[in-house]
Amino acid sequence: MSINVNGNPVELPGDPRVSLLDLLRERLLLTGTKKGCNQGACGACSVLVDGERIISCLALAVQYEGRSVTTVEGLAEDGALHPLQAAFIAHDGFQCGYCTPGQLCSALGMAAEARRGLPSAVTADLEADSMPLTRDEIRERMSGNLCRCGAHNGIVDAILDACAGGGR
Amino acid sequence: MIPFTYTRAHDAAEAIRLGADAATKYLGGGTNLVDLMREGAERPGALVDVTGLPGAIEESQDGSLRIGAAVRNTAVAEHRAVRARYPMLARAILAGASAQIRNMATVGGNILQRTRCAYFYDGTVRCNKRTPGAGCDAIDGFNRMHAILGASAYCVATHPSDMCVALAALDALVELEGPGGRRTIPLTDLHRLPGDRPDLDTVLGPGELITAVVLPPLPWAQRSTYRKVRDRASYAFALVSVAAALDLAEDGTVRDVRLALGGVAHKPWRAERAEQMLRGRPAGTESFRAAADAELAGAAPLRDNAFKPELARRLITAVLGELMGDAA
Ligand SMILES: Cc1cc2nc3c(=O)[nH]c(=O)nc-3n(C[C@H](O)[C@H](O)[C@H](O)COP(=O)(O)OP(=O)(O)OC[C@H]3O[C@@H](n4cnc5c(N)ncnc54)[C@H](O)[C@@H]3O)c2cc1C
Ligand code: FES
Ligand code: FES
């Protein structure tokens, strides 16, 4: 029973009560992923599983056997920040930084969803082939990630900069 | 969380064999069940993971759509046929929870998610849903989010699903399979009103599994939508929501209409009385409002939610007006 985390195979816990979030933080010491509410309500624990964003606090780790998890620790490559991380710095997309790892993973999943044409609650034409990332679209699609510091304007700017042009 | 065993089922037969025991629960995305297990409101000794059950979204010859219970909420809202033919369903799903949760949540789990009543979550207060016979602290408590239709002296909780409101309006069928065999029932018959047994959310028997949801053909549902009013612009449960479809005749009368409400009752509320009043009547604000009045005539608001009946009336009127579009 194993799971892949940021490219490394990891044994799954024997106790099925262990959440994916606790596996990452407590057992693998990957503390980038944050525990805000542990109830699905804040998005601080967002990670990517096979490229799709989920919240890891309500995910039992055993359910993800054989899947590939990417956390904030897996975004930089060869010591270079991911372009979205750099954009967060450039646009002041955080203050305390607690929500940031979740925002980053969520935004990358979000950009992929928009690229493949998934509509959102504010999309006027459900049948449109492409889903351009406007400010309104980004705010709605990112509403699962709260920021208690209120850095949302910078977060939206950073995402617009790094993701709206169809970058990775 | 109390200890439990975890097994993965590969098909319905295996799930039902593993799930027959009363202490066992099926596990979808876990976004509701895991939360409730942490809170002690659910205490299963065994979980049977049904996310691996086969079942996609299949279009049939007769124009109906069959959606497997394990299909994720995102995949339903994303499906081309759902977006084109049942826009109210795509919109209802996209109005619920967050994108991350929708990526995890399954159709079966969404239907069977439990109430968000804070008294049900809190083990230190009285709740008839959590402990039958204990009493209900919500009735005289903070009940802004609670029911105004079909509630009882035992329970005023609401069913929180957005998706189910659209399914109720669309006459969706739910396919069930259990130790006693298979059956298919309308979604509107699946959830119960609380009566004196609010601990029973649904009519499901022990070990019964949802295997699929079927949307019957309804060509005029192309003209349908979902509108949700909540305390913030996104990522909040409904105060009141409306799923509606409108079929207008050439002469401007209502040929047919579908209407269901969320956030108002223990189950997704199909507004049959309003529908009946509208069929054959001239479409327009006056008849929409009259129909909404009739539907809400029996509303019994609580201390904190006296705003809900009027909000529901206005929402019904506005959404039907929106669907009339240029004909208005
Ligand atoms: C912060 C937050 C906000 C939310 N906001 C909204 C919202 O605005 N609107 C909304 O509609 N929802 C909302 N939700 C609820 C969310 O939609 C549900 O948690 C989700 O749909 C449940 O699906 P799941 O697959 O994760 O179910 P699980 O949690 O896995 O299961 C839920 C229940 O269904 C049972 N079950 C699962 N599959 C089957 C099956 N095939 N047959 C029989 N039984 C089964 C389980 O035993 C369990 O009792 C929110 C949730 C959270 C945490
Ligand atoms: S910690 Fe998971 S959503 Fe808040
Ligand atoms: S930067 Fe502090 S919570 Fe978002």
Side-chain angles (χ1 to χ4, degrees), chain B residues 64 67 69-70 79 93 113 122 154 157-158 160 174 178 186 191 203 209 219 258-259 272 313:
Chain B
S64 67
I67 306 172
H79 196 273
I93 291 172
Q113 63 173 301
D122 182 349
Y154 296 85
T158 54
V174 184
H191 299 96
V203 300
L209 178 75
R258 294 292 178 82
L259 210 54
E272 276 166 6
R313 289 188 190 101

Side-chain angles (χ1 to χ4, degrees), chain B residues 265-279:
Chain B
H266 197 255
K267 60 187 284 185
W269 189 266
R270 178 73 178 264
E272 276 166 6
R273 193 186 294 190
E275 289 182 5
Q276 233 166 38
M277 269 190 67
L278 281 169
R279 284 191 196 100

Side-chain angles (χ1 to χ4, degrees), chain A residues 23-63:
Chain A
L23 171 71
L24 295 170
R25 287 183 56 85
E26 312 287 334
R27 307 200 174 201
L28 305 179
L29 304 179
L30 292 170
T31 53
T33 308
K34 298 293 186 262
K35 185 185 276 190
C37 65
N38 216 27
Q39 298 188 316
C42 75
C45 65
S46 301
V47 298
L48 297 166
V49 174
D50 297 323
E52 293 235 323
R53 52 178 170 162
I54 66 159
I55 46 166
S56 59
C57 65
L58 294 181
L60 297 178
V62 281
Q63 275 200 290

Side-chain angles (χ1 to χ4, degrees), chain A residues 40 53 57 116 126 143 145, chain B residues 38 78 83 100 103 234-235:
Chain A
R53 52 178 170 162
C57 65
R116 64 170 207 253
L126 281 184
S143 69
N145 292 85
Chain B
R38 281 206 189 113
E78 185 163 7
R83 283 148 71 180
Q100 292 95 313
N103 281 342
S234 186
Y235 202 19

Side-chain angles (χ1 to χ4, degrees), chain B residues 2-87:
Chain B
I2 61 166
F4 57 85
T5 61
Y6 169 89
T7 355
R8 197 169 304 173
H10 300 90
D11 56 41
E14 186 184 11
I16 291 157
R17 188 167 45 74
L18 294 166
D21 179 348
T24 302
K25 290 216 71 134
Y26 297 122
L27 176 67
T31 59
N32 188 228
L33 185 54
V34 170
D35 193 22
L36 290 171
M37 286 166 67
R38 281 206 189 113
E39 301 291 335
E42 299 271 17
R43 311 176 70 83
L47 292 185
V48 175
D49 187 340
V50 292
T51 57
L53 260 53
I57 304 182
E58 297 156 22
E59 305 188 47
S60 310
Q61 290 285 305
D62 68 351
S64 67
L65 214 56
R66 188 172 181 279
I67 306 172
V71 174
R72 307 286 172 168
N73 287 192
T74 301
V76 179
E78 185 163 7
H79 196 273
R80 280 283 167 190
V82 174
R83 283 148 71 180
R85 286 157 45 192
Y86 306 98

